[in-house]
PDB file of all heavy atoms in Angstrom:
ATOM      1  N   THR A   1       0.838  -1.203   0.000  1.00 94.00           N
ATOM      2  CA  THR A   1       0.000   0.000   0.000  1.00 94.00           C
ATOM      3  C   THR A   1       0.872   1.252   0.000  1.00 94.00           C
ATOM      4  O   THR A   1       1.875   1.319   0.717  1.00 94.00           O
ATOM      5  CB  THR A   1      -0.931   0.013   1.218  1.00 94.00           C
ATOM      6  OG1 THR A   1      -1.782  -1.143   1.158  1.00 94.00           O
ATOM      7  CG2 THR A   1      -1.795   1.261   1.236  1.00 94.00           C
ATOM      8  N   VAL A   2       0.468   2.208  -0.809  1.00 96.00           N
ATOM      9  CA  VAL A   2       1.082   3.522  -0.844  1.00 96.00           C
ATOM     10  C   VAL A   2       0.073   4.535  -0.324  1.00 96.00           C
ATOM     11  O   VAL A   2      -1.124   4.428  -0.618  1.00 96.00           O
ATOM     12  CB  VAL A   2       1.515   3.886  -2.278  1.00 96.00           C
ATOM     13  CG1 VAL A   2       1.950   5.334  -2.357  1.00 96.00           C
ATOM     14  CG2 VAL A   2       2.657   2.998  -2.717  1.00 96.00           C
ATOM     15  N   TYR A   3       0.569   5.483   0.425  1.00 98.00           N
ATOM     16  CA  TYR A   3      -0.295   6.490   1.037  1.00 98.00           C
ATOM     17  C   TYR A   3       0.073   7.888   0.534  1.00 98.00           C
ATOM     18  O   TYR A   3       1.207   8.151   0.143  1.00 98.00           O
ATOM     19  CB  TYR A   3      -0.139   6.466   2.560  1.00 98.00           C
ATOM     20  CG  TYR A   3      -0.404   5.130   3.185  1.00 98.00           C
ATOM     21  CD1 TYR A   3       0.644   4.273   3.514  1.00 98.00           C
ATOM     22  CD2 TYR A   3      -1.703   4.713   3.447  1.00 98.00           C
ATOM     23  CE1 TYR A   3       0.404   3.042   4.085  1.00 98.00           C
ATOM     24  CE2 TYR A   3      -1.956   3.476   4.026  1.00 98.00           C
ATOM     25  CZ  TYR A   3      -0.901   2.649   4.337  1.00 98.00           C
ATOM     26  OH  TYR A   3      -1.146   1.424   4.908  1.00 98.00           O
ATOM     27  N   LEU A   4      -0.913   8.760   0.568  1.00 98.00           N
ATOM     28  CA  LEU A   4      -0.660  10.182   0.324  1.00 98.00           C
ATOM     29  C   LEU A   4      -1.323  10.945   1.463  1.00 98.00           C
ATOM     30  O   LEU A   4      -2.544  11.057   1.514  1.00 98.00           O
ATOM     31  CB  LEU A   4      -1.215  10.645  -1.021  1.00 98.00           C
ATOM     32  CG  LEU A   4      -0.866  12.085  -1.395  1.00 98.00           C
ATOM     33  CD1 LEU A   4       0.639  12.232  -1.633  1.00 98.00           C
ATOM     34  CD2 LEU A   4      -1.645  12.547  -2.631  1.00 98.00           C
ATOM     35  N   GLN A   5      -0.503  11.421   2.382  1.00 98.00           N
ATOM     36  CA  GLN A   5      -0.986  12.240   3.477  1.00 98.00           C
ATOM     37  C   GLN A   5      -1.039  13.679   3.007  1.00 98.00           C
ATOM     38  O   GLN A   5      -0.028  14.231   2.593  1.00 98.00           O
ATOM     39  CB  GLN A   5      -0.062  12.126   4.691  1.00 98.00           C
ATOM     40  CG  GLN A   5      -0.440  13.022   5.856  1.00 98.00           C
ATOM     41  CD  GLN A   5      -1.741  12.625   6.503  1.00 98.00           C
ATOM     42  OE1 GLN A   5      -1.984  11.441   6.757  1.00 98.00           O
ATOM     43  NE2 GLN A   5      -2.604  13.595   6.786  1.00 98.00           N
ATOM     44  N   MET A   6      -2.229  14.257   3.058  1.00 98.00           N
ATOM     45  CA  MET A   6      -2.421  15.612   2.556  1.00 98.00           C
ATOM     46  C   MET A   6      -2.853  16.513   3.706  1.00 98.00           C
ATOM     47  O   MET A   6      -3.909  16.293   4.307  1.00 98.00           O
ATOM     48  CB  MET A   6      -3.487  15.621   1.459  1.00 98.00           C
ATOM     49  CG  MET A   6      -3.182  14.666   0.310  1.00 98.00           C
ATOM     50  SD  MET A   6      -4.368  14.780  -1.038  1.00 98.00           S
ATOM     51  CE  MET A   6      -5.837  14.163  -0.231  1.00 98.00           C
ATOM     52  N   ASP A   7      -2.026  17.482   4.034  1.00 98.00           N
ATOM     53  CA  ASP A   7      -2.298  18.433   5.106  1.00 98.00           C
ATOM     54  C   ASP A   7      -2.420  19.845   4.540  1.00 98.00           C
ATOM     55  O   ASP A   7      -2.002  20.109   3.417  1.00 98.00           O
ATOM     56  CB  ASP A   7      -1.172  18.385   6.150  1.00 98.00           C
ATOM     57  CG  ASP A   7      -1.020  17.022   6.792  1.00 98.00           C
ATOM     58  OD1 ASP A   7      -2.052  16.405   7.116  1.00 98.00           O
ATOM     59  OD2 ASP A   7       0.129  16.573   6.973  1.00 98.00           O
ATOM     60  N   SER A   8      -2.971  20.724   5.350  1.00 98.00           N
ATOM     61  CA  SER A   8      -3.135  22.131   4.958  1.00 98.00           C
ATOM     62  C   SER A   8      -3.765  22.234   3.571  1.00 98.00           C
ATOM     63  O   SER A   8      -3.291  22.985   2.706  1.00 98.00           O
ATOM     64  CB  SER A   8      -1.775  22.853   4.975  1.00 98.00           C
ATOM     65  OG  SER A   8      -1.178  22.771   6.242  1.00 98.00           O
ATOM     66  N   LEU A   9      -4.823  21.493   3.369  1.00 98.00           N
ATOM     67  CA  LEU A   9      -5.454  21.438   2.056  1.00 98.00           C
ATOM     68  C   LEU A   9      -6.051  22.776   1.664  1.00 98.00           C
ATOM     69  O   LEU A   9      -6.556  23.534   2.501  1.00 98.00           O
ATOM     70  CB  LEU A   9      -6.522  20.352   2.042  1.00 98.00           C
ATOM     71  CG  LEU A   9      -5.959  18.925   1.904  1.00 98.00           C
ATOM     72  CD1 LEU A   9      -6.969  17.896   2.363  1.00 98.00           C
ATOM     73  CD2 LEU A   9      -5.548  18.673   0.462  1.00 98.00           C
ATOM     74  N   LYS A  10      -5.969  23.055   0.358  1.00 98.00           N
ATOM     75  CA  LYS A  10      -6.481  24.294  -0.216  1.00 98.00           C
ATOM     76  C   LYS A  10      -7.566  23.965  -1.241  1.00 98.00           C
ATOM     77  O   LYS A  10      -7.572  22.855  -1.808  1.00 98.00           O
ATOM     78  CB  LYS A  10      -5.348  25.041  -0.926  1.00 98.00           C
ATOM     79  CG  LYS A  10      -4.125  25.317  -0.064  1.00 98.00           C
ATOM     80  CD  LYS A  10      -3.022  25.945  -0.885  1.00 98.00           C
ATOM     81  CE  LYS A  10      -1.775  26.194  -0.050  1.00 98.00           C
ATOM     82  NZ  LYS A  10      -0.676  26.811  -0.854  1.00 98.00           N
ATOM     83  N   PRO A  11      -8.451  24.905  -1.515  1.00 97.00           N
ATOM     84  CA  PRO A  11      -9.476  24.642  -2.533  1.00 97.00           C
ATOM     85  C   PRO A  11      -8.889  24.212  -3.874  1.00 97.00           C
ATOM     86  O   PRO A  11      -9.483  23.382  -4.573  1.00 97.00           O
ATOM     87  CB  PRO A  11     -10.197  25.992  -2.639  1.00 97.00           C
ATOM     88  CG  PRO A  11     -10.050  26.596  -1.280  1.00 97.00           C
ATOM     89  CD  PRO A  11      -8.673  26.192  -0.827  1.00 97.00           C
ATOM     90  N   GLU A  12      -7.725  24.729  -4.223  1.00 97.00           N
ATOM     91  CA  GLU A  12      -7.113  24.352  -5.498  1.00 97.00           C
ATOM     92  C   GLU A  12      -6.574  22.924  -5.516  1.00 97.00           C
ATOM     93  O   GLU A  12      -6.141  22.444  -6.563  1.00 97.00           O
ATOM     94  CB  GLU A  12      -5.993  25.334  -5.873  1.00 97.00           C
ATOM     95  CG  GLU A  12      -4.977  25.602  -4.782  1.00 97.00           C
ATOM     96  CD  GLU A  12      -5.289  26.858  -3.984  1.00 97.00           C
ATOM     97  OE1 GLU A  12      -6.467  27.082  -3.630  1.00 97.00           O
ATOM     98  OE2 GLU A  12      -4.320  27.611  -3.699  1.00 97.00           O
ATOM     99  N   ASP A  13      -6.591  22.250  -4.370  1.00 98.00           N
ATOM    100  CA  ASP A  13      -6.228  20.834  -4.333  1.00 98.00           C
ATOM    101  C   ASP A  13      -7.409  19.946  -4.737  1.00 98.00           C
ATOM    102  O   ASP A  13      -7.246  18.725  -4.870  1.00 98.00           O
ATOM    103  CB  ASP A  13      -5.776  20.431  -2.929  1.00 98.00           C
ATOM    104  CG  ASP A  13      -4.485  21.107  -2.509  1.00 98.00           C
ATOM    105  OD1 ASP A  13      -3.572  21.217  -3.356  1.00 98.00           O
ATOM    106  OD2 ASP A  13      -4.392  21.535  -1.336  1.00 98.00           O
ATOM    107  N   THR A  14      -8.566  20.538  -4.922  1.00 98.00           N
ATOM    108  CA  THR A  14      -9.738  19.774  -5.348  1.00 98.00           C
ATOM    109  C   THR A  14      -9.473  19.097  -6.680  1.00 98.00           C
ATOM    110  O   THR A  14      -9.096  19.758  -7.658  1.00 98.00           O
ATOM    111  CB  THR A  14     -10.967  20.696  -5.465  1.00 98.00           C
ATOM    112  OG1 THR A  14     -11.302  21.190  -4.162  1.00 98.00           O
ATOM    113  CG2 THR A  14     -12.152  19.938  -6.056  1.00 98.00           C
ATOM    114  N   ALA A  15      -9.649  17.785  -6.714  1.00 98.00           N
ATOM    115  CA  ALA A  15      -9.337  17.011  -7.919  1.00 98.00           C
ATOM    116  C   ALA A  15      -9.721  15.560  -7.689  1.00 98.00           C
ATOM    117  O   ALA A  15      -9.986  15.139  -6.557  1.00 98.00           O
ATOM    118  CB  ALA A  15      -7.851  17.108  -8.249  1.00 98.00           C
ATOM    119  N   VAL A  16      -9.714  14.812  -8.773  1.00 98.00           N
ATOM    120  CA  VAL A  16      -9.729  13.360  -8.668  1.00 98.00           C
ATOM    121  C   VAL A  16      -8.270  12.914  -8.588  1.00 98.00           C
ATOM    122  O   VAL A  16      -7.461  13.292  -9.445  1.00 98.00           O
ATOM    123  CB  VAL A  16     -10.422  12.698  -9.866  1.00 98.00           C
ATOM    124  CG1 VAL A  16     -10.379  11.183  -9.739  1.00 98.00           C
ATOM    125  CG2 VAL A  16     -11.865  13.189  -9.985  1.00 98.00           C
ATOM    126  N   TYR A  17      -7.956  12.155  -7.565  1.00 98.00           N
ATOM    127  CA  TYR A  17      -6.594  11.689  -7.348  1.00 98.00           C
ATOM    128  C   TYR A  17      -6.470  10.243  -7.814  1.00 98.00           C
ATOM    129  O   TYR A  17      -7.282   9.390  -7.439  1.00 98.00           O
ATOM    130  CB  TYR A  17      -6.224  11.819  -5.871  1.00 98.00           C
ATOM    131  CG  TYR A  17      -5.925  13.239  -5.480  1.00 98.00           C
ATOM    132  CD1 TYR A  17      -6.951  14.187  -5.393  1.00 98.00           C
ATOM    133  CD2 TYR A  17      -4.622  13.664  -5.228  1.00 98.00           C
ATOM    134  CE1 TYR A  17      -6.684  15.515  -5.070  1.00 98.00           C
ATOM    135  CE2 TYR A  17      -4.339  14.984  -4.901  1.00 98.00           C
ATOM    136  CZ  TYR A  17      -5.373  15.899  -4.818  1.00 98.00           C
ATOM    137  OH  TYR A  17      -5.091  17.206  -4.497  1.00 98.00           O
ATOM    138  N   PHE A  18      -5.439   9.996  -8.616  1.00 98.00           N
ATOM    139  CA  PHE A  18      -5.225   8.689  -9.203  1.00 98.00           C
ATOM    140  C   PHE A  18      -3.912   8.078  -8.702  1.00 98.00           C
ATOM    141  O   PHE A  18      -2.886   8.755  -8.652  1.00 98.00           O
ATOM    142  CB  PHE A  18      -5.150   8.786 -10.727  1.00 98.00           C
ATOM    143  CG  PHE A  18      -6.409   9.254 -11.390  1.00 98.00           C
ATOM    144  CD1 PHE A  18      -6.635  10.605 -11.606  1.00 98.00           C
ATOM    145  CD2 PHE A  18      -7.361   8.339 -11.801  1.00 98.00           C
ATOM    146  CE1 PHE A  18      -7.795  11.043 -12.218  1.00 98.00           C
ATOM    147  CE2 PHE A  18      -8.528   8.764 -12.418  1.00 98.00           C
ATOM    148  CZ  PHE A  18      -8.748  10.116 -12.622  1.00 98.00           C
ATOM    149  N   CYS A  19      -3.982   6.814  -8.403  1.00 97.00           N
ATOM    150  CA  CYS A  19      -2.789   6.048  -8.079  1.00 97.00           C
ATOM    151  C   CYS A  19      -2.203   5.516  -9.381  1.00 97.00           C
ATOM    152  O   CYS A  19      -2.948   5.108 -10.290  1.00 97.00           O
ATOM    153  CB  CYS A  19      -3.172   4.904  -7.148  1.00 97.00           C
ATOM    154  SG  CYS A  19      -1.808   3.854  -6.628  1.00 97.00           S
ATOM    155  N   TYR A  20      -0.896   5.506  -9.463  1.00 97.00           N
ATOM    156  CA  TYR A  20      -0.190   5.058 -10.666  1.00 97.00           C
ATOM    157  C   TYR A  20       0.946   4.140 -10.252  1.00 97.00           C
ATOM    158  O   TYR A  20       1.623   4.378  -9.246  1.00 97.00           O
ATOM    159  CB  TYR A  20       0.362   6.277 -11.409  1.00 97.00           C
ATOM    160  CG  TYR A  20       1.305   5.959 -12.542  1.00 97.00           C
ATOM    161  CD1 TYR A  20       0.834   5.805 -13.835  1.00 97.00           C
ATOM    162  CD2 TYR A  20       2.676   5.832 -12.317  1.00 97.00           C
ATOM    163  CE1 TYR A  20       1.697   5.529 -14.886  1.00 97.00           C
ATOM    164  CE2 TYR A  20       3.551   5.551 -13.358  1.00 97.00           C
ATOM    165  CZ  TYR A  20       3.055   5.409 -14.635  1.00 97.00           C
ATOM    166  OH  TYR A  20       3.908   5.132 -15.670  1.00 97.00           O
ATOM    167  N   ALA A  21       1.149   3.094 -11.041  1.00 95.00           N
ATOM    168  CA  ALA A  21       2.272   2.196 -10.794  1.00 95.00           C
ATOM    169  C   ALA A  21       2.886   1.805 -12.134  1.00 95.00           C
ATOM    170  O   ALA A  21       2.201   1.791 -13.172  1.00 95.00           O
ATOM    171  CB  ALA A  21       1.811   0.956 -10.041  1.00 95.00           C
ATOM    172  N   TYR A  22       4.164   1.517 -12.104  1.00 92.00           N
ATOM    173  CA  TYR A  22       4.838   1.097 -13.330  1.00 92.00           C
ATOM    174  C   TYR A  22       5.690  -0.130 -13.059  1.00 92.00           C
ATOM    175  O   TYR A  22       6.550  -0.117 -12.162  1.00 92.00           O
ATOM    176  CB  TYR A  22       5.713   2.214 -13.890  1.00 92.00           C
ATOM    177  CG  TYR A  22       6.308   1.839 -15.225  1.00 92.00           C
ATOM    178  CD1 TYR A  22       5.599   2.096 -16.400  1.00 92.00           C
ATOM    179  CD2 TYR A  22       7.537   1.170 -15.318  1.00 92.00           C
ATOM    180  CE1 TYR A  22       6.116   1.719 -17.633  1.00 92.00           C
ATOM    181  CE2 TYR A  22       8.044   0.789 -16.540  1.00 92.00           C
ATOM    182  CZ  TYR A  22       7.334   1.068 -17.693  1.00 92.00           C
ATOM    183  OH  TYR A  22       7.835   0.683 -18.913  1.00 92.00           O
ATOM    184  N   GLU A  23       5.409  -1.147 -13.831  1.00 88.00           N
ATOM    185  CA  GLU A  23       6.250  -2.347 -13.847  1.00 88.00           C
ATOM    186  C   GLU A  23       6.124  -2.930 -15.245  1.00 88.00           C
ATOM    187  O   GLU A  23       5.150  -3.607 -15.551  1.00 88.00           O
ATOM    188  CB  GLU A  23       5.793  -3.344 -12.788  1.00 88.00           C
ATOM    189  CG  GLU A  23       6.683  -4.579 -12.714  1.00 88.00           C
ATOM    190  CD  GLU A  23       6.107  -5.629 -11.777  1.00 88.00           C
ATOM    191  OE1 GLU A  23       5.219  -6.389 -12.228  1.00 88.00           O
ATOM    192  OE2 GLU A  23       6.508  -5.669 -10.609  1.00 88.00           O
ATOM    193  N   GLN A  24       7.047  -2.597 -16.090  1.00 88.00           N
ATOM    194  CA  GLN A  24       7.032  -2.953 -17.517  1.00 88.00           C
ATOM    195  C   GLN A  24       5.957  -2.179 -18.282  1.00 88.00           C
ATOM    196  O   GLN A  24       6.152  -1.815 -19.438  1.00 88.00           O
ATOM    197  CB  GLN A  24       6.829  -4.444 -17.741  1.00 88.00           C
ATOM    198  CG  GLN A  24       7.988  -5.303 -17.237  1.00 88.00           C
ATOM    199  CD  GLN A  24       7.817  -6.759 -17.589  1.00 88.00           C
ATOM    200  OE1 GLN A  24       6.754  -7.328 -17.363  1.00 88.00           O
ATOM    201  NE2 GLN A  24       8.855  -7.356 -18.141  1.00 88.00           N
ATOM    202  N   PHE A  25       4.821  -1.955 -17.645  1.00 92.00           N
ATOM    203  CA  PHE A  25       3.726  -1.188 -18.251  1.00 92.00           C
ATOM    204  C   PHE A  25       3.162  -0.238 -17.197  1.00 92.00           C
ATOM    205  O   PHE A  25       3.284  -0.493 -16.000  1.00 92.00           O
ATOM    206  CB  PHE A  25       2.604  -2.116 -18.735  1.00 92.00           C
ATOM    207  CG  PHE A  25       3.044  -3.144 -19.741  1.00 92.00           C
ATOM    208  CD1 PHE A  25       3.290  -4.447 -19.355  1.00 92.00           C
ATOM    209  CD2 PHE A  25       3.207  -2.792 -21.071  1.00 92.00           C
ATOM    210  CE1 PHE A  25       3.710  -5.397 -20.268  1.00 92.00           C
ATOM    211  CE2 PHE A  25       3.614  -3.734 -21.997  1.00 92.00           C
ATOM    212  CZ  PHE A  25       3.870  -5.040 -21.594  1.00 92.00           C
ATOM    213  N   PRO A  26       2.505   0.832 -17.637  1.00 94.00           N
ATOM    214  CA  PRO A  26       1.852   1.726 -16.676  1.00 94.00           C
ATOM    215  C   PRO A  26       0.490   1.183 -16.261  1.00 94.00           C
ATOM    216  O   PRO A  26      -0.216   0.569 -17.069  1.00 94.00           O
ATOM    217  CB  PRO A  26       1.685   3.016 -17.475  1.00 94.00           C
ATOM    218  CG  PRO A  26       1.598   2.572 -18.890  1.00 94.00           C
ATOM    219  CD  PRO A  26       2.461   1.344 -18.995  1.00 94.00           C
ATOM    220  N   TYR A  27       0.157   1.417 -15.006  1.00 95.00           N
ATOM    221  CA  TYR A  27      -1.139   0.990 -14.485  1.00 95.00           C
ATOM    222  C   TYR A  27      -1.743   2.144 -13.696  1.00 95.00           C
ATOM    223  O   TYR A  27      -1.039   2.866 -12.994  1.00 95.00           O
ATOM    224  CB  TYR A  27      -0.990  -0.236 -13.576  1.00 95.00           C
ATOM    225  CG  TYR A  27      -0.441  -1.449 -14.277  1.00 95.00           C
ATOM    226  CD1 TYR A  27       0.923  -1.734 -14.245  1.00 95.00           C
ATOM    227  CD2 TYR A  27      -1.280  -2.312 -14.974  1.00 95.00           C
ATOM    228  CE1 TYR A  27       1.434  -2.848 -14.905  1.00 95.00           C
ATOM    229  CE2 TYR A  27      -0.770  -3.429 -15.625  1.00 95.00           C
ATOM    230  CZ  TYR A  27       0.580  -3.684 -15.580  1.00 95.00           C
ATOM    231  OH  TYR A  27       1.082  -4.780 -16.231  1.00 95.00           O
ATOM    232  N   TRP A  28      -3.077   2.273 -13.801  1.00 96.00           N
ATOM    233  CA  TRP A  28      -3.796   3.349 -13.127  1.00 96.00           C
ATOM    234  C   TRP A  28      -4.906   2.789 -12.253  1.00 96.00           C
ATOM    235  O   TRP A  28      -5.545   1.802 -12.620  1.00 96.00           O
ATOM    236  CB  TRP A  28      -4.429   4.289 -14.151  1.00 96.00           C
ATOM    237  CG  TRP A  28      -3.447   5.081 -14.946  1.00 96.00           C
ATOM    238  CD1 TRP A  28      -2.914   4.762 -16.157  1.00 96.00           C
ATOM    239  CD2 TRP A  28      -2.873   6.343 -14.585  1.00 96.00           C
ATOM    240  NE1 TRP A  28      -2.049   5.743 -16.569  1.00 96.00           N
ATOM    241  CE2 TRP A  28      -2.009   6.729 -15.621  1.00 96.00           C
ATOM    242  CE3 TRP A  28      -3.008   7.196 -13.478  1.00 96.00           C
ATOM    243  CZ2 TRP A  28      -1.271   7.920 -15.600  1.00 96.00           C
ATOM    244  CZ3 TRP A  28      -2.279   8.376 -13.459  1.00 96.00           C
ATOM    245  CH2 TRP A  28      -1.430   8.728 -14.502  1.00 96.00           C
ATOM    246  N   GLY A  29      -5.134   3.456 -11.127  1.00 96.00           N
ATOM    247  CA  GLY A  29      -6.304   3.166 -10.330  1.00 96.00           C
ATOM    248  C   GLY A  29      -7.513   3.881 -10.892  1.00 96.00           C
ATOM    249  O   GLY A  29      -7.419   4.629 -11.869  1.00 96.00           O
ATOM    250  N   GLN A  30      -8.658   3.682 -10.247  1.00 96.00           N
ATOM    251  CA  GLN A  30      -9.911   4.236 -10.760  1.00 96.00           C
ATOM    252  C   GLN A  30     -10.120   5.691 -10.354  1.00 96.00           C
ATOM    253  O   GLN A  30     -10.978   6.370 -10.922  1.00 96.00           O
ATOM    254  CB  GLN A  30     -11.099   3.388 -10.276  1.00 96.00           C
ATOM    255  CG  GLN A  30     -11.572   3.671  -8.849  1.00 96.00           C
ATOM    256  CD  GLN A  30     -10.659   3.093  -7.777  1.00 96.00           C
ATOM    257  OE1 GLN A  30      -9.650   2.445  -8.067  1.00 96.00           O
ATOM    258  NE2 GLN A  30     -11.032   3.313  -6.520  1.00 96.00           N
ATOM    259  N   GLY A  31      -9.350   6.156  -9.403  1.00 96.00           N
ATOM    260  CA  GLY A  31      -9.452   7.544  -8.953  1.00 96.00           C
ATOM    261  C   GLY A  31     -10.352   7.696  -7.746  1.00 96.00           C
ATOM    262  O   GLY A  31     -11.307   6.940  -7.566  1.00 96.00           O
ATOM    263  N   THR A  32     -10.028   8.690  -6.924  1.00 97.00           N
ATOM    264  CA  THR A  32     -10.848   9.011  -5.763  1.00 97.00           C
ATOM    265  C   THR A  32     -10.976  10.531  -5.671  1.00 97.00           C
ATOM    266  O   THR A  32      -9.994  11.255  -5.832  1.00 97.00           O
ATOM    267  CB  THR A  32     -10.250   8.410  -4.465  1.00 97.00           C
ATOM    268  OG1 THR A  32     -11.133   8.647  -3.369  1.00 97.00           O
ATOM    269  CG2 THR A  32      -8.881   8.979  -4.135  1.00 97.00           C
TER     270      THR A  32
END
């Protein structure tokens, strides 16, 4: 598991966040 701890959030941080991994090929999560 990889984590992204986000503090002091700003309105401009509003987005869909995607997890990405690379092992021979790129892979994407569905987004949150």
Side-chain angles (χ1 to χ4, degrees):
T1 299
V2 171
Y3 304 98
L4 186 66
Q5 176 67 45
M6 304 185 293
D7 300 318
S8 302
L9 282 161
K10 305 175 182 180
E12 50 264 43
D13 294 319
T14 295
V16 178
Y17 284 71
F18 296 90
C19 181
Y20 170 92
Y22 185 88
E23 183 187 82
Q24 294 185 311
F25 302 100
Y27 298 95
W28 292 93
Q30 80 284 359
T32 185

